[in-house]
Amino acid sequence: MNKHTIAILVNDQPGVLQRVSGLFGRRGFNIESITVGASEEAGLSRMVIVTTGDNKTLEQVSKQLYKLIDVIKVVDVSSAPMVARELALIKVNAEPSARPEILGVVETFRASIVDISPSTVIVQAVGDTEKIDAIIELLKPYGIRELCRTGVTAMNRSGHR
Amino acid sequence: MVTQSATLKSKEEIIERMKKPEVITGSEMLLRSLVLEGVECVFGYPGGAVLYIYDAMHGFKDFHHVLTRHEQGAIHAADGYARASGKVGVCIATSGPGATNLVTGIATAYMDSVPLVVITGNVATSAIGTDAFQEADITGITMPITKHSYLVRRVEDLPRIIHEAFHIANTGRKGPVLIDIPKDVSAAKALFKPVTEVNIRGYNPTVAPHKPQIDKLLQAIAEAERPLILAGGGVIYSGGHEELYEFVTKTNIPVTTTLLGLGGFPSGHELWLGMPGMHGTYASNKAIQAADLLINIGARFDDRVTMKLSGFAPNAKIAHIDIDPAEIGKNVPTDIPIVGDIKTVLTIINREAKPAAKADAWRAQTQAWKKEVPLKYKDSDTELKPQWVIEMIHDTTGGDAIVTTDVGQHQMWAAQFYRFNKPRSWITSGGLGTMGFGFPSAIGAQMAHPDRLVVSINGDGGMQMCAQELAVCAINNIPVKVAIINNQVLGMVRQWQEIIYDNRYSHIDLAGSPDFVKLAEAYGVKGFRATNKEEARSAWEAALRHPGPAVVEFVVRKEENVYPMVTQGNTIDEMIMGDAE
C-alpha cells in the first residue's frame, strides 16, 4: 500500500467536489486528505487528493476519474519529484513562563505565532506532512487546545512534467 | 397502434420551424431541442414541477408522448426504446417522487450502458434547498448511476445542455444523462438559438485503437492453439455485429456471447458456443477454462460471467477490446488492452485478420463439447415445461421477434432457448437485474419498431411489478404479446433456496396473485391461459393472430430449475448439470 498524491484538474462547477469524493467513496478508494482551490486557469479548479493503494488501485482511480465529464486531467504528482505542503494552525497553552520554550520550537520549524492571548498562542506552521507531524509532537507537552490542518497541496518541481 | 409517420409532418418543415430564433419559454426550448435531436417518442408522467413543460406539450404534435401509469414504466419503456432502436431514449417526470421513481430505471440503464436522456422537473431555484413540497435532490441522488447530470440554473443554458446531454448519452460508453429543470427555468423566456456543436473539454472518448496493440492481437491469434472470442453488449451498441461476423469468418475462432451480447452473433453459426457463465452452456464454460487466448470484445468480465475470478480462464492470454478504458484490467488482468469503438477496432483488425492456423484440433474439441452436451431439459407429454414454452415461442415467431424479458428463471430460459440471430432483438436487464423491466421495456421496443413483432416474456413475480402499464398498451393499441411463465413462486429465489439453502423456502410463494387473464381483460387487453402443450400452442397462436396487445399465461410447475448452474465460489467449469436426460 503506497501513498499517492494526485492532482485533479476539474471544471469549477457546482457539485464537482461531490462527484469526485462520491466516486472515491463508492468504489472503495481511500481519501487521506483533499484540498480544492482555484487553478491557473479561470473556470477550472485543482483538487489535490492524498490516497493510499497499490498501483492497480491507483490506475482504477485515475481511469474512473477520467470518466467524470467535469474532470479534465489527472496527474499522479507523487510519481515524480514534487513539492508538497500543508498548513497547520495549532492553538497551544502558553502561560508567560512557557512562551520562550514554545518560541524556540516555532523558530526552529520556521513557523510563526499569529495570535496571542493571556494563556494561549496560535502557531502557524507550513511544511510537508512529516514536518507538521513533528511540530505537533513537540507542542503536545504544552497542551494543544485546537488543531486544524489543511491537508496536502502539491505540485511537481520544475522540469518534471 | 398510432403510427409515427401518420401524425408527423415532413421532417424538414418541422426542423425549419424549430430552428427559428425566437424568444420562447424554457419549456418550449426543451420541446424544440428534443425535436432537433431527432426525438420521435418520449415517455412521461406529469406533475407540479413539470406543468409548464406539459402545458407547452398541449396540442404539440411533433413527437409522441406516451403517458405511462408509473414513472418506472416510463423509464423502462424509454430504455426498451433505446435498446431496440439504437437511438437515445427520453423520459420526463416531475420533481420529488416522480424523479425518485426513476431511480431504478436509471440504474438499470447505467449498468447496461443504455443511452437515455432523463428529464426531471424540480422546484423553483429560489425554493431549492428549503425542503419544499415535492423537492428531492435528484442530481445528488443519481450521481452514482448517471453518466452525467445537469441542474439547469439559467434558461439560456438549456439548449446547450440538452445538446450536450444527447451527445454524452450516445457516444463513448453510452449511458443515462439526467437534466433537472427547476420550475422557474421551464417558465422563463429567452432567445432560443439552436446548438449544433459540442465542446466538452473533459469528454473525448477514444474511438480509434492504438495500432501496435492490434498487431499484438494478430500475432497472438497466429500463435494461439486454443483461441476463443467472448463477445458482449459492446458489439451491439457499437453496431459492430457485421464486423464481428467478418472477424470470425476470417479467423475461424469459436465465439461465446454474454447475456447482453446475444444477437450480436448469429446463434445458428457453427462456431457459436452459446452463452457463458453462471447459466452458460457446457461448451462455452469449458472453452473459456481451456482457452490459451481469450479475446473479449465489448464485454466487461461481469461476475456472473467469470464466477470465481481467481480461477477464471486460467490458461489464457487475455485480450480486451472496450470503449471504456476503466473496464480493461478492472476485474481480469489483461495482456493486450485495446481501447476503442468495437466497430472501428474490428474494421481495422479485419484488414489483416487471418485464420487461427494452429487451432484446428481446438475447433474440433469445442464442436464436440457443443454436440455432446447441449442445453437440455426433461420434457413431458403431460406437463407444460417453461423451456418448451420458450422453444414454442421461438418456433412460432421464426426466431425473428424482438424479445424482452424480466429477471429470473424465465429470463435465463429465454436466453438459452430463444435462438437470437439479429442484434437489438434481445432486451433484458443484465447488470442490475431489474424485476419489473420486462413488460414496460417491450412497450418502448414496440414504439421504436411499430411493424415488428414484440414479445415480452415475464415471470408471475416481475409481471406484477409493472402490470399497470397494460393500460398503456390498451389505450394506444400497442400490440405487445406478453407471455407470463407462471410457476406461482419467485422461481430463481426458490432455485437458490433449494440448491444452496437446503430446501428452506422462505417467502417465495406468490399465492394471491391475480387471475392474469382477468387482469388483462380488466384493462381491455386480450387474455389467454394455457396449462398444457396443446392449449399453450393454440393460445399463443391466437395471441399472435390478434391484432392488438395480448397476454398469455402459461401455468407451469414450480420445481423446474435452470441448468447448467454454477454456484458462487466455484469456477465456471464446475457446473451442476441438472437431472435432464
Side-chain angles (χ1 to χ4, degrees):
Chain A
M1 296 287 265
N2 303 323
K3 196 180 271 196
H4 297 279
T5 306
I6 54 177
I8 312 163
L9 195 63
V10 298
N11 285 325
D12 181 15
Q13 287 281 333
V16 68
L17 178 61
Q18 191 185 352
R19 288 184 201 279
V20 170
S21 61
L23 186 147
F24 272 77
R26 70 177 172 271
R27 298 233 175 231
F29 307 142
N30 166 52
I31 295 181
E32 208 159 278
S33 76
I34 181 167
T35 66
V36 195
S39 74
E40 66 281 3
E41 189 178 331
L44 300 185
S45 302
R46 183 169 277 108
M47 295 183 184
V48 175
I49 294 181
V50 177
T51 182
T52 47
D54 53 19
N55 287 341
K56 182 174 181 273
T57 308
L58 185 75
E59 185 184 326
Q60 262 297 305
V61 168
S62 169
K63 284 173 164 181
Q64 294 294 345
L65 281 169
Y66 270 119
K67 287 175 71 169
L68 298 177
I69 310 292
D70 282 329
V71 168
I72 312 286
K73 195 164 175 53
V74 182
V75 176
D76 178 10
V77 182
S78 49
S79 69
M82 65 169 178
V83 178
R85 295 289 181 267
E86 62 176 310
L87 182 147
L89 294 175
I90 309 155
K91 189 183 283 173
V92 59
N93 286 334
E95 295 301 331
S97 58
R99 286 185 191 177
E101 280 183 36
I102 291 173
L103 266 172
V105 172
V106 166
E107 277 166 21
T108 310
F109 280 85
R110 293 188 196 169
S112 50
I113 305 286
V114 292
D115 182 68
I116 301 185
S117 78
S119 59
T120 63
V121 294
I122 297 178
V123 176
Q124 170 189 297
V126 178
D128 59 23
T129 299
E130 290 70 28
K131 177 176 162 181
I132 304 293
D133 288 346
I135 191 170
I136 289 168
E137 274 312 304
L138 287 171
L139 291 175
K140 259 184 191 165
Y142 305 98
I144 291 175
R145 291 277 201 84
E146 207 178 330
L147 173 66
C148 296
R149 297 173 72 154
T150 58
V152 172
T153 192
M155 63 173 62
N156 284 114
R157 291 184 181 277
S158 296
H160 299 279
R161 227 184 312 264
Chain B
M1 95 186 254
V2 189
T3 59
Q4 298 183 346
S5 54
T7 50
L8 293 177
K9 295 181 199 120
S10 89
K11 263 195 181 147
E12 296 74 25
E13 184 200 331
I14 294 167
I15 286 169
E16 277 317 303
R17 183 156 45 82
M18 295 290 140
K19 274 186 182 162
K20 225 165 100 185
E22 279 178 298
V23 175
I24 54 175
T25 65
S27 299
E28 291 168 307
M29 285 186 189
L30 171 66
L31 303 192
R32 284 197 188 194
S33 299
L34 292 180
V35 173
L36 291 172
E37 295 297 336
V39 172
E40 293 178 344
C41 182
V42 308
F43 303 86
Y45 205 102
V50 287
L51 276 171
Y52 287 108
I53 295 171
Y54 274 84
D55 185 59
M57 257 194 268
H58 183 77
F60 187 82
K61 292 239 171 9
D62 298 325
F63 57 69
H64 285 283
H65 176 273
V66 177
L67 174 65
T68 56
R69 295 301 182 267
H70 192 299
E71 287 89 354
Q72 189 178 355
I75 188 154
H76 289 330
D79 184 318
Y81 182 93
R83 294 191 206 220
S85 67
K87 293 168 64 175
V88 177
V90 181
C91 70
I92 304 180
T94 191
S95 65
T100 56
N101 275 343
L102 299 175
V103 168
T104 302
I106 296 172
T108 304
Y110 185 70
M111 287 287 266
D112 288 347
S113 309
V114 177
L116 296 185
V117 167
V118 177
I119 294 152
T120 52
N122 207 334
V123 298
T125 45
S126 58
I128 287 179
T130 67
D131 304 316
F133 176 66
Q134 291 193 330
E135 182 188 356
D137 172 18
I138 197 63
T139 48
I141 289 167
T142 59
M143 225 166 243
I145 52 168
T146 49
K147 188 171 171 187
H148 194 50
S149 57
Y150 296 90
L151 170 56
V152 187
R153 288 161 202 279
R154 296 168 353 121
V155 67
E156 293 81 3
D157 295 337
L158 202 47
R160 174 187 57 81
I161 285 173
I162 294 166
H163 191 59
E164 282 184 7
F166 274 82
H167 176 74
I168 291 169
N170 209 22
T171 52
R173 179 173 181 177
K174 299 172 185 191
V177 178
L178 183 129
I179 307 175
D180 196 25
I181 308 177
K183 194 169 182 179
D184 54 325
V185 173
S186 64
K189 285 187 172 182
L191 179 65
F192 174 68
K193 279 180 278 182
V195 176
T196 51
E197 283 180 4
V198 278
N199 181 16
I200 310 167
R201 190 165 163 193
Y203 181 70
N204 193 14
T206 305
V207 173
H210 193 47
K211 184 64 168 66
Q213 296 300 104
I214 303 263
D215 296 338
K216 268 193 208 166
L217 175 59
L218 291 165
Q219 183 65 29
I221 291 171
E223 288 165 5
E225 290 175 6
R226 299 183 307 279
L228 180 70
I229 294 167
L230 171 70
V235 171
I236 295 164
Y237 295 156
S238 72
H241 54 281
E242 285 173 1
E243 287 73 13
L244 174 62
Y245 191 88
E246 188 185 335
F247 178 58
V248 174
T249 307
K250 284 188 166 159
T251 58
N252 233 349
I253 298 175
V255 185
T256 171
T257 46
T258 67
L259 183 68
L260 287 186
L262 293 175
F265 188 78
S267 61
H269 196 288
E270 193 192 4
L271 288 172
W272 186 68
L273 303 181
M275 179 174 83
M278 179 179 264
H279 295 296
T281 59
Y282 182 83
S284 291
N285 287 356
K286 289 296 264 191
I288 287 174
Q289 294 305 84
D292 67 352
L293 173 64
L294 184 62
I295 308 168
N296 178 331
I297 307 180
R300 59 183 177 90
F301 290 124
D302 172 74
D303 57 277
R304 286 296 193 268
V305 166
T306 64
M307 299 309 293
K308 187 182 175 184
L309 205 50
S310 58
F312 176 76
N315 306 303
K317 181 183 265 192
I318 305 285
H320 192 171
I321 310 173
D322 207 293
I323 187 81
D324 180 359
E327 285 304 338
I328 295 174
K330 186 182 79 176
N331 295 337
V332 175
T334 301
D335 303 287
I336 308 174
I338 302 179
V339 178
D341 168 66
I342 302 293
K343 186 184 170 90
T344 311
V345 172
L346 288 177
T347 303
I348 294 169
I349 293 176
N350 284 340
R351 286 180 202 143
E352 294 174 52
K354 291 184 185 68
K358 297 183 181 173
D360 290 346
W362 166 247
R363 258 187 306 276
Q365 171 67 73
T366 56
Q367 289 301 312
W369 283 327
K370 187 177 168 181
K371 290 199 179 74
E372 284 160 20
V373 193
L375 288 169
K376 53 196 168 183
Y377 61 96
K378 207 184 257 174
D379 201 7
S380 161
D381 289 332
T382 51
E383 237 182 341
L384 189 57
K385 288 296 181 93
Q387 301 94 327
W388 182 90
V389 172
I390 306 292
E391 288 188 319
M392 185 274 292
I393 291 174
H394 174 269
D395 294 345
T396 51
T397 58
D400 212 26
I402 295 177
V403 176
T404 78
T405 74
D406 214 76
V407 169
Q409 286 185 316
H410 72 276
Q411 177 190 32
M412 291 299 113
W413 285 318
Q416 291 177 336
F417 292 101
Y418 196 101
R419 302 293 181 119
F420 294 91
N421 286 313
K422 285 186 199 156
R424 300 200 178 281
S425 299
W426 165 245
I427 294 171
T428 199
S429 168
L432 198 68
T434 305
M435 283 176 73
F437 174 82
F439 173 47
S441 62
I443 295 174
Q446 187 79 79
M447 289 304 290
H449 292 285
D451 302 325
R452 279 187 70 181
L453 174 63
V454 177
V455 172
S456 179
I457 301 173
N458 300 270
D460 46 321
M463 187 63 201
Q464 291 182 73
M465 287 201 182
C466 268
Q468 74 284 346
E469 306 305 339
L470 282 166
V472 177
C473 284
I475 197 73
N476 299 298
N477 195 27
I478 297 171
V480 170
K481 312 301 177 190
V482 181
I484 302 173
I485 312 289
N486 184 357
N487 62 356
Q488 304 95 51
V489 289
L490 292 169
M492 191 58 96
V493 180
R494 203 209 76 91
Q495 175 167 344
W496 282 51
Q497 290 179 346
E498 178 192 322
I499 295 172
I500 301 164
Y501 294 86
D502 201 18
N503 299 303
R504 288 158 54 84
Y505 299 115
S506 181
H507 299 277
I508 52 161
D509 189 345
L510 290 179
S513 296
D515 176 328
F516 286 105
V517 175
K518 281 189 180 158
L519 179 71
E521 283 168 356
Y523 281 105
V525 171
K526 196 99 177 146
F528 303 88
R529 176 180 295 111
T531 57
N532 59 45
K533 282 182 173 178
E534 200 181 322
E535 286 174 8
R537 189 177 279 277
S538 74
W540 182 248
E541 284 176 346
L544 292 181
R545 278 195 306 273
H546 179 66
V551 171
V552 186
E553 177 191 6
F554 298 96
V555 180
V556 300
R557 67 183 201 130
K558 58 173 172 275
E559 290 81 10
E560 203 67 28
N561 286 338
V562 179
Y563 293 114
M565 181 184 187
V566 181
T567 52
Q568 268 164 342
N570 290 308
T571 55
I572 51 170
D573 54 353
E574 297 175 285
M575 290 169 268
I576 305 170
M577 296 309 293
D579 55 358
E581 229 303 89

